[in-house]
Amino acid sequence: MRVSPDKSFLKAGHLPSLLAAFLYFDMSFTIWVLLGPLAVQIGKLLHLDPAQKGLMIALPVLSGALLRIVAGFAVDQFGARATAIVAQIIVILGLGFAWWHGITSYHEVLALGLVLGIGGASFAIALPLASRWYPPEHQGTALGIAGAGNIGTVVTALAAPSLAIAIGIGGVFGIAAILMILTLIGFALLARNPPAYKFPQPFGRYFDVLKPADTWWFMGFYGVTFGGFVGLSAALTLYFHTVYGLTPVNAGFATAVCAFVGGSIRPFGGYLADRLGGVRVLSALYLLAAAALIVLSMGIGEFWPALAVFIVVMAAFGMGDGAVFQLIPARFGREIGTATGFVGMAGGVGGFYLASSLGVSKQLTGSYGAGFLIFAGLALLAFGGLSIVKRRWRADFTAAAIDGVPVRV
């Protein structure tokens, strides 16, 4: 007789590794979006225009997106633990150099952004580490907990602007490097590769995961949910400062509220998907996000109503992240590391598009409205895509139940 999922979760996997995945993901996300909350101060220091600021905050997102493919390959080849340790060391070295040398030009900021993107690649490392430790009936919950590390964006939004005023922008990079060192030590002590670790396969076979149409569907769906979350997390400090005249510190606080909601609610999205079905939950969230984005595209004159709408958007995207990753393990078993890399890449590309397009929209039209409206259209397209595949997925994924346990789709 199988123990009920709620009572068996604590005994179903390896809690130290799940905690390590969360901590690593959390700190990596703190670093990944670091340039966003500092955009106002860096922009003034280097005299950047709106498009340059948009690219500055979006480039780490794009870098992290592309590096997720590399990280996914490395996880399947060398294991999640070793891959995470190497990735953290590289980021620590990059932050240490920025602390020691300082940032004196736009090109140096962009170079740092490329290095910070490695933090974004943690997605393709932390989630497979958590996923492979847990059985199918707990995938949504386990991946929701590990993925809640994206709440690290809250820490950045809260602390970075204030620290930059107190100790300078270079000092912020130094503190970030120290925190990464502590995270590395904790991760090395806690994390263990799961017993179901997959032995290396020929390099060319890694791309086989792109052959099924389902991979591309998942990439599109996650490009909207995670792309919306991380894109707004990176851009909102600048947006609140520009549109509503908030100081960098207050704009950071407002961004932190939005990021906290989106990050902390991700496990609830996975939980709901486990119980109500991932397709059903995700469909409702796409409609909610699209409606809120359309409202934002029209312009909201007062700050507090706008903040409320942004919270709704971030909640929808955060829960959507958990719902997407309730479905993926049902479709990809042995290839979960590689599949996660490609799907995560698409999420980062979505974030790059949103963050950079808001800057371009402001530069060309004097308003951010067009950027919000186009992303609302993408959410509606994702809803339409789910409507196309949901019947087949409900049949195929249930029939392909792992270890005899069906996944609710």
Side-chain angles (χ1 to χ4, degrees):
M1 181 176 178
R2 185 165 58 89
V3 180
S4 67
D6 289 335
K7 294 182 180 179
S8 64
F9 177 77
L10 293 178
K11 299 180 180 180
H14 190 245
L15 285 176
S17 291
L18 182 59
L19 176 60
F22 170 81
L23 291 175
Y24 166 49
F25 198 24
D26 185 82
M27 193 61 220
S28 295
F29 263 55
T30 300
I31 300 305
W32 190 24
V33 298
L34 187 58
L35 296 182
L38 295 175
V40 176
Q41 288 136 312
I42 293 176
K44 290 181 178 178
L45 177 66
L46 301 179
H47 308 290
L48 306 181
D49 62 37
Q52 288 177 314
K53 294 175 188 175
L55 179 60
M56 175 184 68
I57 63 178
L59 188 59
V61 180
L62 179 62
S63 172
L66 299 178
L67 289 172
R68 286 178 176 186
I69 300 177
V70 179
F73 293 159
V75 166
D76 286 340
Q77 189 79 16
F78 305 109
R81 186 175 183 273
T83 303
I85 289 173
V86 172
Q88 290 176 80
I89 291 173
I90 296 173
V91 173
I92 290 168
L93 293 174
L95 287 167
F97 181 80
W99 183 16
W100 171 74
H101 178 268
I103 298 296
T104 60
S105 72
Y106 183 56
H107 292 94
E108 290 177 352
V109 172
L110 296 182
L112 177 61
L114 292 174
V115 175
L116 297 183
I118 298 174
S122 63
F123 171 95
I125 305 170
L127 267 63
L129 174 63
S131 173
R132 287 171 174 166
W133 271 112
Y134 286 85
E137 69 268 30
H138 295 301
Q139 286 292 318
T141 303
L143 290 176
I145 292 172
N150 60 22
I151 203 172
T153 56
V154 177
V155 178
T156 309
L158 281 174
S162 299
L163 285 174
I165 293 173
I167 61 176
I169 295 172
V172 176
F173 300 140
I175 291 178
I178 293 171
L179 293 175
M180 281 294 295
I181 292 172
L182 296 176
T183 302
L184 174 60
I185 295 171
F187 181 89
L189 292 174
L190 292 172
R192 295 292 180 268
N193 283 322
Y197 165 62
K198 176 184 172 184
F199 292 101
Q201 62 179 333
F203 179 78
R205 292 192 60 188
Y206 285 114
F207 293 93
D208 290 348
V209 76
L210 291 175
K211 293 179 182 179
D214 288 343
T215 304
W216 295 92
W217 282 115
F218 280 123
M219 290 168 67
F221 296 149
Y222 201 65
V224 174
T225 59
F226 182 76
F229 171 81
V230 75
L232 289 176
S233 295
L236 279 182
T237 299
L238 185 61
Y239 177 86
F240 288 138
H241 171 75
T242 303
V243 175
Y244 297 108
L246 272 63
T247 66
V249 173
N250 289 336
F253 287 160
T255 302
V257 171
C258 297
F260 175 79
V261 172
S264 62
I265 206 169
R266 178 170 178 153
F268 184 61
Y271 176 85
L272 281 182
D274 280 341
R275 278 136 189 84
L276 302 179
V279 169
R280 183 178 292 110
V281 171
L282 194 56
S283 296
L285 292 171
Y286 281 138
L287 291 178
L288 178 61
L293 286 168
I294 290 172
V295 172
L296 289 170
S297 73
M298 298 176 181
I300 300 177
E302 299 295 328
F303 166 71
W304 290 108
L307 179 64
V309 178
F310 275 117
I311 288 174
V312 171
V313 173
M314 293 292 268
F317 285 145
M319 292 176 65
D321 289 344
V324 170
F325 269 87
Q326 182 261 359
L327 294 168
I328 288 178
R331 175 60 178 84
F332 300 100
R334 297 181 61 192
E335 301 85 3
I336 184 67
T338 308
T340 298
F342 281 110
V343 173
M345 176 206 68
V349 170
F352 169 79
Y353 166 76
L354 178 57
S356 59
S357 67
L358 289 175
V360 173
S361 175
K362 177 66 174 176
Q363 180 85 0
L364 297 179
T365 68
S367 168
Y368 293 100
F372 291 130
L373 188 60
I374 293 174
F375 210 78
L378 293 177
L380 292 175
L381 285 176
F383 171 79
L386 272 177
S387 301
I388 293 172
V389 301
K390 65 181 180 182
R391 183 172 299 177
R392 177 175 62 81
W393 279 11
R394 282 171 176 156
D396 292 352
F397 289 11
T398 303
I402 306 170
D403 296 330
V405 181
V407 176
R408 188 144 192 192
V409 176

